[in-house]
């Protein structure tokens, strides 16, 4: 009897300890699951907070006035919040930088993926990562002190702080994204394509330009889109080098003011929960929607490329 | 269409991947417009040998080669040899069908376009597809993606694509290993009809196939060419004991 | 490679040119910042409080502020990011939800840094009433580097061979025990690389801390996590644009410290990663 009882107790103990072990694991696994879902919560939260602090603006101003207004006079009376000059500023700087960064970045990606010897590839790739790591405020600083005076004298301008100055500095910041994702895309093209083309007597350049790059095109497109997303969202560099005049530019040698720079420059001087504060949050919401659309589309394109491309 | 008689003359060929010697002192001569099969266990060097003939091994880093490979009376490893020109003369069909993700038409006209030929392509496509026994199946969808074809059709397309470059020699590296038996037979028939115009070298692990299609057979083992000769003889009474062991299946 | 014809020579020439143009800015930034900034670097510059409206003295509070921000950021983002990566790599099935989470990560990575700043202001500073503080800045930066840490960690976890997990499970270990004792240790160097990259990112960013943590001028160290801080990138922005008659050597010196810090951090991540790749035996 006694023995039997102790046996039962033992087995209960075992069960208990096991269960408590399982119980703590159950908790850990739920926490892990929650943190996985948290990323979705965060992206939703960001949007919700942007909306929460921008919607009050529309008690006094209409959405059309915001999106089509050609004047940004936040502290005049009555204040006018027209996004058009800021959108134009962002567009000018972005287009300019993309015109520089896309050919350069895609060419560098082709070189790294198809032409460079492994030793060169392994030494250039970290340099590209370094380029990505340089803080945007440093690019702004260099642009302000080195590039701007040069632009000023070269084009004989009243100021070197122009859309073009911003475009050049931003191009450097878009390059790492464009290079690394394009290179991945080209490297993901099946080796068989290259062999088939060379075996048919095509030259290496013909193989690259007629087979490898076309096969990687959707990946390269996604890379360019992600580069655009990066440039539109860039803040400190443009704040420091584009001159910050909220005017619709007629030439790339004029100063412009981007949406990001407007937020960064003006938020510090607004009264919390004022009209101006709400207006700056609505710029943030617009920026969020634009970059979300770009990144979302780019990711869909990349995802499809990875599934079909090989 | 006129085809030049091609003669392949290999003498004392050694091939190394880094320190590993993949081919040891290979010598042989091949007649034009014959089918020669190379058989042997996996890793014996037969595919490596095939790839020395159009210098596809150049793509691999750290390979070294010595000996002589003459094609059409020219040393293809001579410094002044143009690899691109060589590959136009020596076509290749790979183990797995590898059409480009382009239309059927663009696949076939790829090599001529790379040479700068842009006229008479329609004609060329028709001729080549007929030659490759794919015309009836493909004539109504020349603009369709090559990837929409079945595996066997894709492989015949790859043969057509190689033929459109106007080669004299066709290298086939286990061209049927990824195909079903019916598609395999069609490719074998195709080879017989092509042999009037082309010198064909085929690597295969399938001995029945080698016996069925080839005029000559070479047996590779651990990088050595053990025996080379008339297929009938090799498959009925080979000289070397190792060849006999392999073809009768007493081999790992 | 042997170019044929003038067209191909030109094409290859442009490819080479592109590589030069891509690597040049890194060299140029380094050269400019080092050659013009090194004269400012001294023990005093690194360890003293700023004086004379930041025109003289040192940048000690900015350096310390950035270190504190980075420390707090990683302390928040690392556990969260690694857990999310464990979920994605070890628990989530390859279904819709997994795809959705990946889309969320991609989009988090793409949110402009100034929008993070707005969110931090709206959510942490005002809604949670943390005020402009070290804590609010760390939370904002943590959110921003979360995608970096998740992506690197997930990659590291997935590089652990399936056979390791199977061996552990076959010995009767639970799923969590397997992850804790077998998978995580093998993935640790890769996770560390991700964390270091996150550090580099957090150390260099200005826009997210603009309205959440950064102090224009604070000649002392923060007393608590609810205190404002100075930070290197913000300090560089201030002395480059808002302080008249400041000597260039102070500006370049500050830029040099910032660039040096960030590149050092990133270089160590690159070295660590290549070390992992070489050492990996599976």
């Amino acid at each position: 009897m006694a023995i039997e009882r102790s046996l039962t107790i033992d087995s209960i103990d075992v069960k208990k300890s096991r269960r408590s072990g399982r119980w703590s694991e159950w908790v850990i696994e739920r926490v892990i699951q929650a943190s996985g879902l948290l990323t979705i919560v965060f992206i939703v939260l960001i949007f919700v907070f942007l909306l929460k602090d921008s919607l009050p603006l529309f008690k006094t101003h209409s959405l059309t006035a915001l999106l089509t207004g050609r004047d940004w006079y936040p502290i005049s009376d009555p204040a006018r919040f027209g996004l058009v000059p800021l959108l134009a500023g962002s567009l000018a700087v972005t287009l300019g930088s993309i015109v520089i960064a896309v050919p350069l970045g895609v060419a560098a990606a082709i070189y790294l993926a198809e032409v460079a010897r492994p030793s060169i590839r392994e030494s250039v790739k970290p340099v590209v990562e370094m380029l990505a790591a340089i803080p945007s405020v440093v690019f702004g600083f260099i642009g302000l002190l080195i590039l701007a005076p040069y632009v000023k004298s070269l084009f004989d301008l009243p100021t070197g702080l122009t859309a073009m100055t911003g475009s050049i500095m931003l191009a450097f910041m878009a390059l790492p994204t464009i290079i690394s994702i394009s290179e991945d895309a080209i490297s993901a093209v099946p080796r068989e394509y290259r062999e088939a083309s060379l075996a048919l007597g095509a030259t290496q350049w013909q193989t690259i330009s007629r087979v490898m790059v076309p096969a990687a095109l959707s990946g390269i497109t996604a890379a360019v889109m992600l580069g655009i997303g990066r440039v539109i969202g860039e803040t400190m560099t443009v704040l420091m080098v584009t001159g910050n005049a909220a005017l619709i530019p007629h030439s790339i040698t004029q100063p412009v003011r981007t949406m990001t720079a407007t937020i960064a420059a003006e938020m510090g001087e607004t009264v919390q929960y004022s009209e101006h504060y709400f207006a700056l949050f609505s710029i943030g919401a617009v920026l969020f929607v634009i970059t979300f659309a770009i990144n979302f589309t780019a990711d869909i394109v990349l995802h499809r490329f990875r599934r079909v491309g090989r | 269409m006129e085809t030049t008689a091609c003669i392949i003359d290999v003498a004392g060929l050694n091939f190394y991947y880094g320190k590993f010697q993949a081919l040891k002192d290979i010598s042989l001569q091949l007649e034009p417009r014959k089918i020669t099969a190379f058989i042997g266990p996996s890793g014996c060097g037969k595919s490596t040998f095939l790839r020395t003939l159009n210098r596809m091994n150049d793509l691999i880093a750290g390979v070294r080669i010595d000996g002589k490979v003459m094609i059409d009376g020219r040393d293809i490893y001579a410094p002044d040899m143009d690899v691109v020109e060589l590959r136009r003369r020596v076509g290749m069909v790979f183990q797995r069908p590898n059409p480009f993700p382009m239309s059927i038409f663009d696949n076939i006209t790829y090599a001529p376009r790379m040479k700068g030929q842009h006229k008479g392509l329609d004609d060329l496509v028709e001729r080549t597809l007929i030659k490759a026994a794919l015309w009836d199946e493909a004539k109504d969808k020349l603009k369709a993606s090559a990837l929409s074809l079945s595996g066997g059709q894709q492989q015949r397309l790859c043969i057509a694509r190689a033929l459109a470059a106007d080669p004299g020699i066709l290298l086939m590296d286990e061209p049927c290993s990824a195909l079903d038996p019916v598609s395999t037979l069609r490719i074998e028939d195709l080879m017989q009809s092509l042999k009037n115009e082309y010198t064909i070298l085929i690597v295969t692990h399938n001995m029945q196939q080698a016996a069925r299609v080839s005029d000559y057979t070479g047996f590779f083992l651990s990088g050595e060419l053990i025996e080379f000769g008339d297929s009938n003889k090799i498959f009925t009474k080979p000289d070397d004991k190792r060849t006999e062991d392999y073809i009768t299946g007493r081999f790992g | 490679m042997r170019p044929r014809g003038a067209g191909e020579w030109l094409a290859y020439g442009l490819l080479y040119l592109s590589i030069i143009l891509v690597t040049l800015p890194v060299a140029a930034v380094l050269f400019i910042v080092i050659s013009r900034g090194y004269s400012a670097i001294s023990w005093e510059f690194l360890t003293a409080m700023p004086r004379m409206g930041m025109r003289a003295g040192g940048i000690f509070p900015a350096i310390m502020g950035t270190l504190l921000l980075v420390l707090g950021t990683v302390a928040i983002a690392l556990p969260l990011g690694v857990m999310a990566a464990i979920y994605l790599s070890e628990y989530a099935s390859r279904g819709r939800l997994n795809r959705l989470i990946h889309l969320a990560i991609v989009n988090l990575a793409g949110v402009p840094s100034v929008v993070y700043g707005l969110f931090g202001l709206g959510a942490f500073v005002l809604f949670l009433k943390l005020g402009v503080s070290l804590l609010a800045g760390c939370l904002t930066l943590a959110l921003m580097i979360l995608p970096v840490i998740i992506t690197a960690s997930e990659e590291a976890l997935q590089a652990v061979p399936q056979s390791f997990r199977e061996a552990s499970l076959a010995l009767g270990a639970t799923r969590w025990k397997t992850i804790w004792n077998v998978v995580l240790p093998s993935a640790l160097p890769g996770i560390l690389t991700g964390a270091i990259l996150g550090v580099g990112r957090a150390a260099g960013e200005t826009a997210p801390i603009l309205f959440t943590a950064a102090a224009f001028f604070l000649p002392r160290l923060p007393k608590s996590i609810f205190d404002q801080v100075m930070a290197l990138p913000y300090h560089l922005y201030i002395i480059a644009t808002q302080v008249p008659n400041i000597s260039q050597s102070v500006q370049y010196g500050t830029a040099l410290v910032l660039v040096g810090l960030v590149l050092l951090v990133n270089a160590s991540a690159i070295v660590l990663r290549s070390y992992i790749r070489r050492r990996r035996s599976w």
Side-chain angles (χ1 to χ4, degrees):
Chain A
M1 272 290 265
I3 294 169
E4 227 170 66
R5 186 183 291 160
S6 79
L7 265 179
T8 0
I9 291 168
D10 267 3
S11 67
I12 287 172
D13 274 357
V14 169
K15 253 189 204 158
K16 237 189 197 165
S17 71
R18 252 221 192 128
R19 259 216 217 112
S20 71
R22 289 273 161 84
W23 189 80
S24 65
E25 280 191 22
W26 186 86
V27 171
I28 291 168
E29 296 190 340
R30 290 295 83 74
V31 170
I32 284 173
Q33 193 174 17
S35 32
L37 297 175
L38 221 50
T39 50
I40 299 177
V41 175
F42 283 147
I43 198 93
V44 172
L45 262 186
I46 291 175
F47 191 53
V48 166
F49 266 92
L50 290 174
L51 279 188
K52 170 179 118 32
D53 281 359
S54 55
L55 288 180
L57 177 72
F58 302 112
K59 284 182 201 149
T60 48
H61 294 71
S62 73
L63 182 64
T64 25
L66 178 78
L67 292 179
T68 61
R70 300 172 69 86
D71 299 306
W72 179 264
Y73 299 139
I75 42 178
S76 66
D77 194 26
R80 300 174 74 171
F81 301 111
L83 271 190
V84 173
L86 312 184
L87 277 166
S90 285
L91 196 70
V93 174
T94 303
L95 278 181
S97 65
I98 286 307
V99 164
I100 302 168
V102 167
L104 214 55
V106 173
I110 291 172
Y111 178 82
L112 289 176
E114 291 290 313
V115 182
R117 273 182 285 125
S119 59
I120 294 185
R121 181 164 51 231
E122 292 318 307
S123 46
V124 170
K125 281 172 91 171
V127 177
V128 174
E129 286 179 62
M130 291 288 185
L131 187 61
I134 293 174
S136 68
V137 69
V138 173
F139 276 115
F141 176 70
I142 301 276
L144 183 69
L145 269 69
I146 309 273
L147 184 64
Y150 192 69
V151 169
K152 179 176 188 274
S153 65
L154 190 69
F155 295 92
D156 194 23
L157 299 170
T159 169
L161 302 176
T162 64
M164 189 176 68
T165 323
S167 293
I168 294 172
M169 294 319 289
L170 285 194
F172 295 137
M173 312 184 68
L175 274 174
T177 308
I178 295 177
I179 293 174
S180 65
I181 295 173
S182 300
E183 199 223 327
D184 284 349
I186 297 170
S187 302
V189 173
R191 210 190 52 211
E192 286 88 348
Y193 291 173
R194 183 182 310 122
E195 291 200 330
S197 174
L198 292 173
L200 286 166
T203 64
Q204 190 195 16
W205 176 251
Q206 288 171 331
T207 303
I208 292 170
S209 61
R210 309 290 179 87
V211 176
M212 303 308 281
V213 170
L217 202 59
S218 56
I220 295 174
T221 311
V224 170
M225 292 177 70
L226 291 173
I228 294 175
R230 172 97 208 262
V231 167
I232 291 186
E234 231 337 295
T235 310
M236 296 317 287
T237 311
V238 286
L239 177 64
M240 293 167 83
V241 304
T242 58
N244 292 323
L247 300 166
I248 300 169
H250 300 289
S251 130
I252 54 160
T253 52
Q254 283 181 331
V256 292
R257 164 176 268 205
T258 66
M259 295 187 282
T260 50
T262 307
I263 299 174
E266 294 177 8
M267 187 51 96
E269 290 143 26
T270 57
V271 178
Q272 279 148 18
Y273 300 131
S274 66
E275 247 184 16
H276 190 189
Y277 172 95
F278 297 135
L280 292 176
F281 264 83
S282 56
I283 300 180
V286 169
L287 261 176
F288 180 88
V289 169
I290 293 174
T291 49
F292 188 89
I294 290 174
N295 286 294
F296 189 83
T297 323
D299 195 64
I300 301 276
V301 171
L302 264 187
H303 194 67
R304 197 171 301 156
F305 168 73
R306 286 190 190 128
R307 259 210 312 237
V308 179
R310 42 186 82 173
Chain B
M1 186 190 263
E2 180 236 16
T3 28
T4 345
C6 294
I7 304 172
I8 299 174
D9 184 350
V10 178
L13 177 70
N14 290 296
F15 186 92
Y16 309 83
Y17 290 112
K19 288 203 168 118
F20 173 72
Q21 185 168 9
L23 292 175
K24 295 168 190 160
D25 195 26
I26 309 291
S27 298
L28 82 174
Q29 281 94 37
L30 296 179
E31 281 176 48
R33 288 189 283 282
K34 298 284 184 211
I35 298 179
T36 306
F38 293 103
I39 58 171
S42 316
C44 64
K46 56 193 194 299
S47 284
T48 303
F49 173 68
L50 205 66
R51 285 166 158 260
T52 57
L53 299 179
N54 65 344
R55 291 184 57 177
M56 283 305 275
N57 289 320
D58 290 15
L59 302 181
I60 305 162
V63 300
R64 197 159 53 79
I65 196 159
D66 59 53
K68 213 162 218 174
V69 181
M70 309 281 282
I71 290 181
D72 283 339
R74 290 190 61 187
D75 179 358
I76 64 165
Y77 284 92
D80 66 331
M81 184 69 205
D82 184 343
V83 185
V84 169
E85 210 50 60
L86 169 73
R87 289 181 186 149
R88 285 176 186 163
R89 296 284 302 129
V90 184
M92 186 165 204
V93 176
F94 295 81
Q95 208 163 358
R96 292 162 56 83
N98 57 354
F100 299 126
M102 308 171 182
S103 69
I104 295 172
F105 186 92
D106 287 346
N107 263 281
I108 295 176
T109 56
Y110 184 80
R113 281 186 291 130
M114 295 307 111
K115 271 193 290 189
Q117 180 191 341
H118 294 286
K119 280 188 199 134
L121 293 180
D122 290 320
D123 216 34
L124 175 92
V125 167
E126 181 172 348
R127 251 190 353 235
T128 343
L129 278 177
I130 290 172
K131 235 191 241 175
L134 193 61
W135 176 247
D136 290 337
E137 290 147 89
K139 66 179 172 203
D140 296 325
K141 47 177 190 175
L142 293 177
K143 295 288 166 209
S145 166
L147 302 176
S148 68
L149 297 172
S150 74
Q153 290 172 330
Q154 286 189 7
Q155 194 61 306
R156 274 178 283 145
L157 175 69
C158 290
I159 294 173
R161 186 177 62 183
L163 296 181
D166 195 19
I169 299 170
L170 202 55
L171 309 176
M172 303 178 102
D173 187 0
E174 304 200 26
C176 303
S177 64
L179 303 183
D180 60 88
V182 178
S183 306
T184 301
L185 277 180
R186 296 203 62 166
I187 303 257
E188 289 179 10
D189 287 346
L190 176 59
M191 289 170 66
Q192 291 306 328
S193 71
L194 290 176
K195 150 184 164 178
N196 302 321
E197 282 184 62
Y198 303 93
T199 306
I200 299 176
L201 283 72
I202 177 172
V203 159
T204 177
H205 58 263
N206 178 340
M207 274 171 293
Q208 283 80 15
Q209 183 173 55
R212 274 196 303 266
V213 302
S214 68
D215 303 301
Y216 299 100
T217 298
F219 171 59
F220 275 92
L221 185 65
S222 325
E224 281 177 81
L225 181 60
I226 303 296
E227 189 165 354
F228 177 73
D230 202 296
S231 293
N232 285 327
K233 182 166 180 299
I234 296 255
F235 284 103
T236 49
K237 41 177 196 316
D239 293 333
D240 196 291
K241 178 78 173 53
R242 290 168 290 180
T243 316
E244 191 182 344
D245 286 349
Y246 181 70
I247 59 174
T248 51
R250 261 174 287 161
F251 215 89
Chain C
M1 180 203 64
R2 203 185 288 172
R4 294 163 72 90
E8 292 204 356
W9 275 109
L10 186 69
Y12 285 110
L14 290 176
L15 291 189
Y16 284 116
L17 185 70
S18 77
I19 278 299
I20 294 169
L21 286 177
V22 163
T23 47
L24 201 65
V26 178
V29 167
L30 280 179
F31 174 77
I32 292 167
V33 172
I34 291 173
S35 66
R36 302 190 186 194
Y38 84 97
S39 62
I41 305 292
S42 66
W43 184 246
E44 194 209 349
F45 188 68
L46 297 176
T47 58
M49 294 294 161
R51 281 181 289 113
M52 292 171 61
M54 296 180 269
R55 289 181 190 83
I59 55 169
F60 183 62
I63 296 175
M64 283 310 289
T66 284
L67 291 182
L68 288 172
L69 278 168
V70 164
L71 222 60
T73 301
V74 170
I76 298 163
L78 190 60
L80 212 56
V82 172
M83 283 199 294
I86 291 176
Y87 174 73
L88 284 170
S89 160
E90 309 295 319
Y91 287 96
S93 54
R94 303 247 139 245
R96 261 222 195 111
L97 184 63
N98 194 317
R99 177 88 185 96
L100 206 61
I101 294 176
H102 275 114
L103 263 178
I105 293 170
V106 166
N107 280 292
L108 272 181
V111 170
S113 53
V114 72
V115 172
Y116 275 112
L118 282 182
F119 174 73
L121 173 65
F124 302 133
V125 175
L126 299 176
F127 186 76
L128 294 181
K129 301 196 166 61
L130 298 177
V132 176
S133 62
L134 186 58
L135 181 59
C138 289
L139 285 167
T140 311
L141 286 171
L143 209 53
M144 190 192 69
I145 68 164
L146 202 54
V148 178
I149 292 185
I150 296 178
T151 312
S153 306
E154 196 193 351
E155 211 171 280
L157 289 168
Q158 284 185 340
V160 177
Q162 199 57 32
S163 58
F164 286 22
R165 295 181 183 88
E166 282 165 2
S168 168
L169 291 171
L171 290 169
T174 60
R175 183 137 77 150
W176 170 249
K177 290 252 161 60
T178 301
I179 293 169
W180 182 252
N181 293 309
V182 178
V183 181
L184 267 182
S186 315
L188 200 60
I191 293 173
L192 207 60
T193 313
I196 297 174
L197 287 175
V199 164
R201 179 89 199 278
E205 276 289 352
T206 316
I209 56 171
L210 220 46
F211 336 119
T212 58
F216 183 81
F217 178 55
L218 191 74
R220 60 175 171 81
L221 296 182
K223 294 199 179 77
S224 80
I225 53 171
F226 297 106
D227 216 350
Q228 295 186 27
V229 285
M230 290 181 78
L232 267 179
Y234 184 59
H235 185 66
L236 177 61
Y237 166 67
I238 292 295
I239 59 174
T241 60
Q242 316 277 316
V243 182
N245 305 323
I246 187 166
S247 81
Q248 284 212 348
S249 92
V250 172
Q251 294 177 327
Y252 279 108
T254 308
L256 175 58
V257 174
L258 177 59
V259 169
L261 182 74
V262 169
L263 289 192
L264 211 66
V265 166
N266 274 276
S268 60
I270 291 170
V271 169
L272 178 64
R273 192 184 46 207
S274 74
Y275 169 75
I276 298 167
R277 286 200 185 136
R278 261 182 288 127
R279 196 214 49 176
R280 185 174 289 161
S281 46
W282 61 75

